[in-house]
Amino acid sequence: LMWNGLLYSELVEWSNAIRWLFPDAWLWENEATPVFLCDPAQPPPTVCHAAHSGCCDLHGRPTNITGGLPPALNALSIDKYDWDAHDPPLVPRVQAYYDAYLKPRMHPGQTLWLVPGAAVAKQDLHVCNATCQQEHDARDAWQYLNWTLSDPLVSGMVPWPWKSFSTYTGASELPIVRAAWQQIGQIVLAHNSGVTAGTLSYVTV
């Protein structure tokens, strides 16, 4: 939302309004990575020198994330995907991002979610063909599971996308990816047996 033009102050206002209307609702937001790239220990910039840079939105405006994650939210995630076989391993990079830019901004009671890639691009596959991309997604899925089960601040995963659409084939039509997430779903169900509400891991299958 912020990366597409919504200011941080507006996001806080909107989430507060939804919380006021639905005080018992469970509110989760997913964001793009650039908006939180400011160092939480440093004051935010007042001027952006270029759009698409850290601390700036899509239109080159400072995001001014001065109050941590929006306090009305229960959970927040970022989505980052890997479409190139030459890129470094994805999950450690996402984990480093969460550690540096999200966890220091959390309020008490908030949790983090993960949005693993579970798709194959229908075009522009770079150096990785469809089978290669499925294998990468399946490998990443298991790494995301290990992260979720070992990190008390992470409480859920939502693979994206499950259904196909115009530019991506979703996990429901990718046998390697689908099989990985079905197995993970069974592990999550078993892991959650007897676990109290508020500490559950969640995965869509």
Side-chain angles (χ1 to χ4, degrees), residues 122-186:
K122 294 182 178 179
Q123 56 186 353
D124 192 25
L125 289 173
H126 303 288
V127 297
C128 192
N129 61 29
T131 300
C132 163
Q133 185 63 63
Q134 284 199 66
E135 293 170 346
H136 278 214
D137 287 349
R139 176 204 63 198
D140 291 346
W142 290 105
Q143 292 181 5
Y144 276 115
L145 174 66
N146 290 334
W147 176 8
T148 302
L149 297 180
S150 63
D151 190 335
L153 294 180
V154 176
S155 63
M157 301 182 289
V158 180
W160 179 90
W162 193 252
K163 297 292 185 179
S164 301
F165 61 100
S166 58
T167 54
Y168 293 97
T169 302
S172 63
E173 298 181 40
L174 301 171
I176 297 174
V177 179
R178 182 184 178 94
W181 281 108
Q182 286 176 326
Q183 293 177 55
I184 289 171
Q186 295 303 312

Side-chain angles (χ1 to χ4, degrees), residues 1-170:
L1 295 175
M2 287 190 282
W3 186 230
N4 285 300
L6 191 66
L7 293 173
Y8 171 77
S9 59
E10 295 169 336
L11 177 65
V12 171
E13 181 180 359
W14 289 17
S15 58
N16 286 342
I18 296 172
R19 174 62 65 203
W20 182 81
L21 289 169
F22 304 99
D24 298 324
W26 197 86
L27 303 182
W28 161 52
E29 185 208 359
N30 183 63
E31 271 294 350
T33 57
V35 296
F36 292 109
L37 278 174
C38 298
D39 183 349
Q42 300 297 323
T46 57
V47 177
C48 287
H49 298 289
H52 297 256
S53 64
C55 309
C56 301
D57 69 9
L58 185 64
H59 305 286
R61 303 176 301 182
T63 49
N64 291 330
I65 304 172
T66 55
L69 303 184
L73 296 178
N74 295 97
L76 189 135
S77 61
I78 60 100
D79 48 6
K80 185 174 180 61
Y81 310 112
D82 188 0
W83 309 117
D84 193 327
H86 288 166
D87 287 341
L90 175 65
V91 178
R93 287 185 285 138
V94 177
Q95 192 166 4
Y97 180 101
Y98 273 61
D99 289 343
Y101 302 114
L102 296 187
K103 290 181 179 180
R105 292 187 164 103
M106 294 175 69
H107 297 284
Q110 288 184 324
T111 187
L112 299 171
W113 275 34
L114 310 177
V115 184
V120 168
K122 294 182 178 179
Q123 56 186 353
D124 192 25
L125 289 173
H126 303 288
V127 297
C128 192
N129 61 29
T131 300
C132 163
Q133 185 63 63
Q134 284 199 66
E135 293 170 346
H136 278 214
D137 287 349
R139 176 204 63 198
D140 291 346
W142 290 105
Q143 292 181 5
Y144 276 115
L145 174 66
N146 290 334
W147 176 8
T148 302
L149 297 180
S150 63
D151 190 335
L153 294 180
V154 176
S155 63
M157 301 182 289
V158 180
W160 179 90
W162 193 252
K163 297 292 185 179
S164 301
F165 61 100
S166 58
T167 54
Y168 293 97
T169 302

